[in-house]
Amino acid sequence: MSDAPSRSHGRKSIRATLQPRDLLSETPELLHAWQARIVTLFPGAFPGVLGESLTGKALQEGLWQLHPIDLRPFGEGKHRNVDDTPAGGGAGMVLRADVVSRALDMAMAGTPEDRTDWPLVYLSPRGRRFDQAMARRWSRARGVTLLCGRFEGVDQRVLDAYQVEEVSLGDFVLTGGEIAAQAMLDATVRLLPGVLGNAASTEEESHSGGLLEHPQYTRPADWAGRAIPEVLLSGNHAKIAEWRRQQAEELTKARRPDLWQRHLAGTPETR
């Protein structure tokens, strides 16, 4: 980050209370766990649903670490202001470059210079759409830092200076990036070794092979006059695999023609 602003410009009061070591576990066996660092005005939103089920269990077991970083203490003045009116006029407020810069300095402390090994991401509706391939890429890194926007967004200068990657959850607008961050982290953390416990679980699900997942069934064999397809009860694994593949192709063709065309072209969404 040679073009990033100097790390020496933070206020002493901030540096006295927030240090890079605060982002690292003091437990030696957790020092190399996959990390998620979240810059947000609402640190209390985390872990949220990430603290439940398999992701929550993995968090407790130290398979990954979560570090919410409160943006407010980096603000300006008595009231720790983090935003100001848009240059050129317009509605809403914009997160200040100097405030966000100080927070990013803290959030990226001790991380690799290579962004492929530790992505720095701003959750933005104008960013590249998040997909399974991106989740897999993040899971193979050492960690990720997510900047949750609010109001009308973030001053472009700090995004440019820190070479921040912009990523969107979808073609819609949320009031902030916290919900998107939780969704993206859920998709990523479940791919970490040991989280699901069964690697095959991630190989047959939707998007993992460029197709939507086939229908699933379980007991009872007959429910409300609807029976499980006979092929699934046949014990013939070759025919079952063929049926599942056919179902996946038909579902993808009907529901996601964009994925189907990508599949036909031999460029699956997930690599």
Side-chain angles (χ1 to χ4, degrees):
M1 301 191 339
S2 59
D3 58 347
S6 170
R7 297 187 187 279
S8 63
H9 55 196
R11 276 203 291 273
K12 292 182 180 179
S13 60
I14 292 175
R15 294 305 186 197
T17 57
L18 296 174
Q19 298 295 329
R21 64 175 177 270
D22 296 331
L23 299 180
L24 301 175
S25 170
E26 296 181 358
T27 307
E29 59 267 26
L30 297 184
L31 289 177
H32 301 292
W34 191 89
Q35 291 189 39
R37 301 181 182 183
I38 317 296
V39 178
T40 172
L41 279 169
F42 300 97
F46 298 90
V49 71
L50 296 171
E52 305 295 333
S53 189
L54 294 175
T55 55
K57 180 181 178 183
L59 187 61
Q60 292 177 354
E61 293 177 348
L63 296 180
W64 70 292
Q65 294 188 71
L66 177 64
H67 301 289
I69 301 168
D70 190 354
L71 182 62
R72 184 65 65 181
F74 297 93
E76 289 286 331
K78 177 181 177 180
H79 299 291
R80 300 298 189 195
N81 294 326
V82 299
D83 57 357
D84 211 326
T85 55
M93 304 291 280
V94 177
L95 291 176
R96 293 172 54 125
D98 51 354
V99 173
V100 174
S101 172
R102 289 191 285 267
L104 291 182
D105 283 347
M106 180 63 67
M108 296 302 287
T111 64
E113 293 288 338
D114 184 357
R115 290 290 169 76
T116 61
D117 204 21
W118 196 294
L120 172 57
V121 175
Y122 168 46
L123 305 176
S124 164
R126 71 181 187 185
R128 172 188 167 189
R129 190 168 61 184
F130 184 78
D131 56 26
Q132 189 70 13
M134 193 177 299
R136 192 168 299 280
R137 174 165 61 86
W138 290 3
S139 73
R140 291 169 178 167
R142 292 173 55 186
V144 64
T145 296
L146 302 179
L147 170 60
C148 296
R150 279 278 159 177
F151 317 120
E152 293 303 308
V154 177
D155 190 306
Q156 184 65 41
R157 293 171 295 179
V158 74
L159 300 178
D160 293 340
Y162 286 77
Q163 300 176 4
V164 181
E165 178 183 4
E166 296 189 48
V167 177
S168 171
L169 185 61
D171 297 334
F172 48 86
V173 180
L174 299 171
T175 56
E178 287 74 17
I179 292 176
Q182 289 199 23
M184 294 178 191
L185 287 178
D186 184 277
T188 301
V189 169
R190 65 192 300 278
L191 298 176
L192 298 176
V195 173
L196 292 187
N198 182 0
S201 297
T202 64
E203 294 175 359
E204 298 180 358
E205 58 198 10
S206 291
H207 303 289
S208 290
L211 297 172
L212 300 183
E213 187 179 15
H214 55 77
Q216 297 280 10
Y217 300 87
T218 187
R219 297 176 181 175
D222 188 290
W223 172 78
R226 298 171 181 266
I228 294 176
E230 292 184 7
V231 64
L232 298 179
L233 305 177
S234 68
N236 188 321
H237 297 294
K239 288 187 176 181
I240 292 173
E242 180 182 356
W243 179 88
R244 286 175 170 171
R245 177 73 177 186
Q246 181 181 18
Q247 291 291 311
E249 291 180 348
E250 291 179 357
L251 281 171
T252 305
K253 187 185 303 183
R255 299 181 182 181
R256 290 293 303 274
D258 57 326
L259 291 182
W260 179 246
Q261 291 302 318
R262 189 178 295 118
H263 171 72
L264 292 179
T267 54
E269 191 166 7
T270 302
R271 295 172 178 84

